[in-house]
Amino acid sequence: RMGSMKFKHEKFDHTYRVSMGTYGYYVREYKEDKVPGSVLNLTKQEFVNFKEKLKDGGWIESAPR
């Protein structure tokens, strides 16, 4: 079981946090790293694709706080 992951980008003031739940992966956007925004519920394959797109777009995985 994985913990949560956090992705940030030097040009944007929001972050994405990813966690694994009972029914798949949950991606939540945080504005300015603290105000929770919308949530995506993804299957494992959708999550793999999402993570690749983030990394291709310059997003960096960082340790969640």
Side-chain angles (χ1 to χ4, degrees):
R1 177 173 163 79
M2 73 167 221
S4 66
M5 286 185 276
K6 179 176 165 183
F7 292 89
K8 62 183 183 175
H9 197 290
E10 63 183 19
K11 294 183 177 153
F12 300 107
D13 68 351
H14 62 269
T15 57
Y16 291 103
R17 293 193 192 178
V18 179
S19 57
M20 188 171 177
T22 310
Y23 302 106
Y25 293 84
Y26 296 91
V27 179
R28 185 183 287 272
E29 180 183 5
Y30 285 84
K31 308 221 185 296
E32 297 168 359
D33 201 19
K34 48 189 175 291
V35 181
S38 56
V39 177
L40 291 172
N41 183 211
L42 305 175
T43 65
K44 182 170 184 173
Q45 189 57 52
E46 288 170 332
F47 168 69
V48 169
N49 294 342
F50 180 80
K51 192 161 94 165
E52 286 302 310
K53 285 190 172 81
L54 283 178
K55 289 184 175 178
D56 289 348
W59 291 82
I60 297 166
E61 187 175 335
S62 68
R65 297 197 199 296

